[in-house]
Amino acid sequence: MSRAGTLRTLLALATSAILWTATTAQAELSITQGSGLPSAQAPSAAAQEWLYTLRPGENYHQVAKELLARGYNASRLLQFNNIEEDALVAEGDSIRIPLHWLKRQPDAARVTSVSGSVQLISGANGRKIPLTPNTLIRAGDEIISSSGSATVSLADGSEVRLAPDSRLIFNRLTQYGKSGMVDTRLRLNKGEVHTRVRPVIEGGARFEIETPSAVAAVRGTAFALQTSATGSSLQVTEGVVDFGVPGKTRRIPAGYSATVSTQPSGGLTIRRLPPAPDVNPLPATLTQLPATLKWAPSPATQHRLDIFESGSGRWVESRELDGSQFDISMLDNGAYEIHLAALTNRGTTGLPAVVPVKVDLQAKAASLIAPDEGSLADDDMPEFSWSLNGQNEVARVEIAEDDSFNDLVTSSEWAPETSALPLRPLSPGQYYWRVVTEAGGTSVATSETRKVVVNGSLPPVRIISINYVDSQVRVFWEKVRTAQEYHLQLSEEPEFQNIIKEATLPETTAALRLIPGRRYFVRLKALSDAPLTSRWGPGRELYLE
């Protein structure tokens, strides 16, 4: 037999021995048995090593460089595996690596969504700041949700959703180099978390959530965990969780709940979860809201409904319901998961029925009612009214000086109403107004445009400054918002009885050529297309030496 063949045979035998040891050490126990799991005892020899399989194009030198900590190299790796330096190691061959040889580095988590009031306490300096999306969470940090909720994505893709009124500490966030193994340890001091954990790599990876009364060791699963002064409760919907007081955990499979009581006569109680409710299907896409979710009556007197945003995991809504239906309303456009589960008389949540749904609402243009086109308003806070033509829409009126609406003068608040007042008074002048409707947070429609004239007198124009350059004078004046043009008069006496020059100008500056040694006076007033009165501003003296 060739040296390479001998190597593969030895590795295969070693692999079989390690896998047999791991299998016997991790064999599942029936939930009716009372003994703890071997994982709560001293680590076995197999748990101290990781069996790494070479990928295409890899060799042991690359493995050593990418995975091993400082002080460990390819030669030591070969020696540990009883492999000679010139031996051929190919794709599919396995190498045993002691766990303490692997690189370890901090592995930050990231906040993907926040709803309501949530605080972050830094483990580095103890500062408390509002939690925001994309915040990096590092070991030692704590999240406190009061009236809000948050979703955190771990580096390996696992997800943790924190319910309102909860406290969660990230005790350890460690990655073993590029091995794909992680060591994640959290502590839930209060409240509730929902987690979806990616399958961990056997032999070294670890995911644990500790509470004041219990510990949950996870292999790759979806579960919910609650803790309070009376104890801790677990509900497993996928996979398995090792749960119980430290040192005496039991393996809880999907479809079961477990409770650890803080009472002296308590202990670990395991029960089967109520089955998922039989939910009537919804359309794959909801084009109008509200929509009614219905389910078949069951022995449960109450149900719990949670709505999560599919992309970010954001916890949109959570409530307990009587009856067998719920009206879905006020959701923005997007994809969601609706989780509906029966509640036991102890308050335990059963297996959830998961209903994926997409919301795609389309806004429709509103129909304008008042004021009429070109009408005259005697009030500087006129009321605008319209009718809505879509479902679940909010609207606001927008007011501008021109029909392009590039520069809004004012608007109203967004509201599901059909009338509104502007946010601030309107100066006399001509305006354009329209109504913008929005549905689902992303779909927008705009109504037709109308003119309205606010009655009154245009304010007088005040000259700001006068610049002299040689025999030329440049005059600058304030802009009047609703003015289309300005009328300028030049006179040789302050009473403006004898006008020697006048002009209509679209800008707020003008250049005048004057005779040196003579005194002049200039004044302006604003002009509008609307039938409004206007007043002259105060005159200013001009004089060239």
Side-chain angles (χ1 to χ4, degrees):
M1 183 181 294
S2 67
R3 179 177 293 176
T6 302
L7 171 64
R8 290 190 178 91
T9 301
L10 290 173
L11 287 175
L13 291 172
T15 301
S16 299
I18 292 170
L19 290 178
W20 182 86
T21 304
T23 303
T24 55
Q26 297 170 355
E28 290 194 9
L29 298 176
S30 167
I31 62 170
T32 61
Q33 295 179 354
S35 60
L37 288 178
S39 60
Q41 302 168 0
S44 65
Q48 301 300 305
E49 296 178 3
W50 180 41
L51 201 62
Y52 181 80
T53 302
L54 293 180
R55 300 187 180 101
E58 275 188 332
N59 57 50
Y60 51 83
H61 288 285
Q62 291 171 310
V63 171
K65 183 178 179 181
E66 292 185 357
L67 299 182
L68 301 187
R70 183 177 299 178
Y72 301 97
N73 54 30
S75 296
R76 290 194 64 178
L77 184 61
L78 291 175
Q79 184 180 6
F80 182 81
N81 284 271
N82 295 319
I83 301 174
E84 296 179 8
E85 286 282 353
D86 57 349
L88 296 176
V89 181
E91 172 190 342
D93 288 339
S94 297
I95 299 176
R96 293 161 39 239
I97 305 176
L99 289 184
H100 66 276
W101 287 21
L102 292 170
K103 293 178 182 177
R104 297 191 184 193
Q105 59 197 45
D107 198 12
R110 184 181 296 274
V111 177
T112 56
S113 71
V114 179
S115 296
S117 176
V118 184
Q119 300 288 321
L120 171 68
I121 299 179
S122 170
N125 55 31
R127 289 180 55 205
K128 182 186 288 188
I129 60 173
L131 188 69
T132 57
N134 294 318
T135 298
L136 290 180
I137 304 296
R138 295 179 170 85
D141 290 350
E142 180 178 10
I143 295 178
I144 303 175
S145 63
S146 50
S147 60
S149 62
T151 302
V152 178
S153 179
L154 305 179
D156 67 346
S158 299
E159 187 178 78
V160 179
R161 295 168 176 164
L162 189 66
D165 197 25
S166 302
R167 299 185 69 138
L168 182 66
I169 300 176
F170 294 78
N171 283 332
R172 180 173 295 184
L173 297 168
T174 301
Q175 182 179 9
Y176 291 91
K178 297 183 180 180
S179 67
M181 293 196 299
V182 295
D183 186 355
T184 303
R185 304 186 200 182
L186 314 178
R187 181 175 175 87
L188 180 65
N189 279 331
K190 176 186 178 184
E192 176 179 3
V193 291
H194 287 215
T195 67
R196 184 172 294 276
V197 181
R198 293 189 64 183
V200 299
I201 298 174
E202 293 291 346
R206 185 173 183 177
F207 188 104
E208 285 186 1
I209 301 181
E210 181 187 10
T211 73
S213 55
V215 63
V218 182
R219 299 180 179 278
T221 182
F223 70 96
L225 181 65
Q226 305 87 25
T227 189
S228 67
T230 60
S232 299
S233 297
L234 171 84
Q235 302 87 44
V236 184
T237 54
E238 295 178 18
V240 294
V241 178
D242 295 340
F243 179 74
V245 297
K248 293 184 64 176
T249 59
R250 296 278 299 281
R251 185 153 297 172
I252 312 301
Y256 284 82
S257 69
T259 301
V260 171
S261 174
T262 56
Q263 301 300 318
S265 59
L268 180 66
T269 303
I270 301 172
R271 293 184 174 90
R272 185 181 293 274
L273 289 173
D278 183 11
V279 180
N280 295 348
L282 286 171
T285 301
L286 299 178
T287 56
Q288 67 178 38
L289 293 178
T292 302
L293 180 72
K294 296 182 178 180
W295 55 93
S298 70
T301 58
Q302 282 192 314
H303 290 77
R304 173 166 167 172
L305 180 135
D306 295 283
I307 302 178
F308 301 101
E309 200 171 62
S310 297
S312 67
R314 182 171 66 93
W315 209 326
V316 179
E317 188 166 358
S318 180
R319 60 174 63 195
E320 295 181 3
L321 305 171
D322 297 320
S324 57
Q325 68 177 47
F326 172 72
D327 286 337
I328 305 167
S329 61
M330 300 308 293
L331 288 180
D332 286 342
N333 289 343
Y336 300 88
E337 278 188 0
I338 301 174
H339 292 213
L340 181 73
L343 279 175
T344 68
N345 54 11
R346 295 178 298 274
T348 301
T349 304
L351 288 172
V354 180
V355 182
V357 67
K358 181 180 180 182
V359 177
D360 186 17
L361 306 180
Q362 297 298 314
K364 295 184 179 180
S367 300
L368 303 187
I369 296 178
D372 292 330
E373 166 66 19
S375 62
L376 190 66
D378 293 325
D379 189 352
D380 62 359
M381 293 280 284
E383 183 177 29
F384 298 86
S385 61
W386 59 89
S387 61
L388 296 173
N389 296 311
Q391 298 289 328
N392 246 44
E393 291 180 328
V394 292
R396 76 170 186 176
V397 63
E398 295 182 343
I399 303 165
E401 294 174 359
D402 57 75
D403 56 6
S404 67
F405 288 85
N406 290 327
D407 184 18
L408 291 183
V409 174
T410 188
S411 67
S412 65
E413 299 282 2
W414 287 103
E417 310 298 332
T418 55
S419 64
L421 299 176
L423 291 174
R424 68 175 185 83
L426 298 174
S427 302
Q430 178 177 279
Y431 298 93
Y432 294 85
W433 71 281
R434 67 184 183 185
V435 171
V436 178
T437 50
E438 181 187 89
T442 58
S443 180
V444 175
T446 305
S447 72
E448 63 173 315
T449 299
R450 286 184 182 178
K451 291 181 185 178
V452 63
V453 177
V454 176
N455 203 4
S457 177
L458 292 174
V461 178
R462 188 174 69 88
I463 295 173
I464 301 172
S465 64
I466 298 171
N467 293 346
Y468 294 90
V469 180
D470 298 330
S471 61
Q472 192 177 70
V473 177
R474 180 162 289 276
V475 181
F476 298 88
W477 57 90
E478 284 184 339
K479 176 180 175 59
V480 175
R481 285 201 65 116
T482 54
Q484 273 73 47
E485 296 176 310
Y486 301 89
H487 194 69
L488 179 145
Q489 287 185 342
L490 185 68
S491 176
E492 290 186 310
E493 74 277 341
E495 293 81 12
F496 288 89
Q497 296 297 319
N498 181 27
I499 306 300
I500 60 174
K501 184 176 182 61
E502 59 184 329
T504 299
L505 306 166
E507 305 297 334
T508 57
T509 182
L512 303 173
R513 191 169 296 277
L514 306 179
I515 299 173
R518 299 177 63 175
R519 295 187 180 277
Y520 298 89
F521 296 87
V522 64
R523 67 179 182 181
L524 294 112
K525 71 175 178 179
L527 302 177
S528 171
D529 291 341
L532 299 173
T533 60
S534 57
R535 294 173 287 168
W536 289 106
R540 287 283 296 272
E541 184 180 12
L542 307 177
Y543 181 76
L544 277 175
E545 297 286 347

